[in-house]
Amino acid sequence: MSDFTRATPERRVLSSFGEYAGAQAAVDRLSDEGFPVENAAIVGHDVRIVEQVTGRMTRGRAAGLGAASGAWFGLLIGLVFGILAPGATWIGLLLWGAVLGAVWGAVFGFAGHAFTRGRRDFSSVQGFEAERWDVMVDAEHLSRAQSILSGSVGDAPADVVPPRPPAPPAPAV
């Protein structure tokens, strides 16, 4: 058992939600009322990673995305150097930074995708999903947290799930 596990205080379920946004709103409500939120945790149950495919990735698209991110980076570098430049030369530095950044970004985006040799010809976004999200608080702070959230009964999200009682201990063999 790690030192972190032994140092973690006993926690109790304050409330359960079907959506993460509900759990996040509950912790935000606690924070707004001055509750020490470092004594709270949001725990997902039956968590899975979902990778949503957002589109086909071609060498051209990889170059375009690289050019866009490179232009932003070049613009930032141009701005840093432009602050130190005398007169109106800062505009030229901004433009050159954006152009050079876009060119280098396109080159690296194209080359990076070409080196994968078609092993990943799609773009995607990963996220977590869970069956339910529990807001848990340290046992000694449970009654205060309950009183804070009970004052917002009318504001409670529609997806609130009653907390499950703890499982009974396994019989000794």
Side-chain angles (χ1 to χ4, degrees), residues 27 36 66 68 90 98-100 118 124 128 137 160 168:
V27 174
W90 67 273
V99 169
L100 289 176
S124 62
F128 290 102
V137 295
V160 173

Side-chain angles (χ1 to χ4, degrees), residues 83-140:
I83 289 173
L84 304 172
T89 57
W90 67 273
I91 295 173
L93 289 171
L94 282 177
L95 291 175
W96 273 108
V99 169
L100 289 176
V103 168
W104 282 106
V107 167
F108 283 114
F110 179 87
H113 182 68
F115 285 132
T116 66
R117 298 182 190 261
R119 284 189 304 269
R120 188 168 168 97
D121 283 342
F122 62 92
S123 58
S124 62
V125 177
Q126 285 188 353
F128 290 102
E129 290 183 2
E131 290 299 315
R132 87 173 188 275
W133 298 92
D134 289 344
V135 176
M136 303 186 77
V137 295
D138 294 354
E140 69 259 17

